[in-house]
Amino acid sequence: MSKIALVTGGTGGIGTAVCQRLADNGFTIISTYFEPEEQAKAWAAKQNFKASIYPCNVSDYASCQELKAKVLADHGQVDVIVNNAGITRDARFLKMTPDMWRAVISTNLDSLFNVCHQFFEGMTERGFGRIINISSVNGQKGQSGQVNYSSAKAGVHGFTMALAQEGVSKGVTVNTVSPGYIGTEMVMAIREDIRNKIIEQIPVKRLGKPEEIAATVAFLASDDAAFITGANISANGGQFMH
Ligand code: NDP
């Protein structure tokens, strides 16, 4: 039986590449969506792999409880979680509103608690689980205009390290992947002159590809990665080394 992977925000830029790569590696794919149902159905229809899609607001605990009920009814279990859903609401600190702060913290960080809380027990009972949390280089180094995002993404790795310690004796690994700037809509939405300045600061002189993040995630989801837990894997073209 193929293992079952749940990818939050699987319909987005990096999420789609992650779903594709995990499907190529033989996983059954479940993706959450946040957009209107028609849009998510259209996404699923144009992929060359089969994905079961479920609505979920990852920042809302009750919505994640509903997700659990539906996913377990249809699929029985979840073996791999990729906490990928995320947003930015950038502004200089003094211009950042409480709503911008809260939206980013709840979507990027509360979401890990909300989603993992639904499936972690099942993983520990079965003695196998892979949790992969998508952070960001800006959670490692900080970024002006992103006090909210940098805080949430730094928190992601704290979550990873703590939950990794709880899962370690039960066959559940928990790891962080910290991408640098990847050529998705999120980054292409940055003003071109600013984006070009960003690329100048990346030693490989290009944006990363979603497929490169997907490959890293797929490795961490594999049986071969059983000895890696609590790690923060950087995939940033040399932009930040630690
Ligand atoms: P996208 O905007 O393409 O994808 C984000 C996904 O998250 C979308 O499917 C979006 O759904 C979903 N989402 C947003 N809010 C919620 C919510 N409340 N509940 C459920 N789903 C939600 O972004 P990327 O693919 O670029 O980013 C994916 C992850 O990678 C994010 O965590 C991001 O922070 C991280 N990252 C991205 C980098 C980049 O350069 N692109 C760099 C470093 C990290 P919808 O579209 O319907 O809103």
Side-chain angles (χ1 to χ4, degrees):
M1 203 181 81
S2 76
K3 292 200 175 83
I4 298 167
L6 168 68
V7 182
T8 68
T11 60
I14 292 174
T16 300
V18 167
C19 290
Q20 173 77 63
R21 182 63 184 249
L22 291 176
D24 291 347
N25 289 6
F27 289 85
T28 297
I29 303 300
I30 298 171
S31 171
T32 69
Y33 65 89
F34 191 50
E35 66 258 58
E37 187 181 4
E38 284 317 306
Q39 218 172 301
K41 280 186 175 163
W43 171 86
K46 71 173 188 234
Q47 305 309 318
N48 63 12
F49 56 87
K50 187 175 173 306
S52 303
I53 54 171
Y54 296 87
C56 181
N57 176 358
V58 294
S59 66
D60 180 51
Y61 191 80
S63 177
C64 295
Q65 285 178 305
E66 282 170 34
L67 174 72
K68 173 189 183 176
K70 289 180 197 154
V71 163
L72 294 189
D74 294 348
H75 296 273
Q77 66 191 63
V78 167
D79 305 301
V80 176
I81 299 173
V82 184
N83 283 304
N84 163 77
I87 57 167
T88 53
R89 297 285 183 271
D90 297 353
R92 304 287 290 186
F93 180 57
L94 292 179
K95 295 237 161 99
M96 190 173 283
T97 64
D99 281 351
M100 293 164 90
W101 168 264
R102 184 96 307 278
V104 168
I105 298 291
S106 69
T107 305
N108 294 280
L109 183 58
D110 292 357
S111 56
L112 272 56
F113 177 85
N114 296 343
V115 175
C116 291
H117 219 224
Q118 313 306 326
F119 302 105
F120 185 71
E121 190 176 19
M123 289 177 169
T124 59
E125 283 167 1
R126 291 186 300 278
F128 181 89
R130 296 279 186 271
I131 297 173
I132 298 135
N133 300 318
I134 307 299
S135 179
S136 165
V137 65
N138 291 345
Q140 297 173 296
K141 68 172 190 57
Q143 177 59 46
S144 69
Q146 290 196 323
V147 164
N148 49 4
Y149 187 76
S150 296
S151 302
K153 292 302 196 183
V156 165
H157 191 55
F159 178 98
T160 289
M161 292 187 291
L163 192 62
Q165 291 176 32
E166 296 197 23
V168 74
S169 61
K170 316 251 171 62
V172 181
T173 68
V174 188
N175 290 291
T176 301
V177 174
S178 291
Y181 287 86
I182 310 300
T184 63
E185 275 175 32
M186 188 187 262
V187 167
M188 296 319 277
I190 299 173
R191 227 173 59 204
E192 194 181 359
D193 56 325
I194 297 177
R195 200 170 63 237
N196 288 339
K197 279 198 189 128
I198 291 171
I199 293 172
E200 269 308 300
Q201 288 159 17
I202 304 173
V204 300
K205 300 288 179 220
R206 67 169 175 87
L207 297 172
K209 299 176 192 155
E211 293 75 19
E212 291 172 318
I213 304 308
T216 309
V217 169
F219 174 65
L220 291 172
S222 72
D223 290 343
D224 286 340
F227 206 55
I228 302 175
T229 195
N232 189 353
I233 312 289
S234 297
N236 61 31
Q239 192 190 355
F240 180 74
M241 301 178 190
H242 63 107

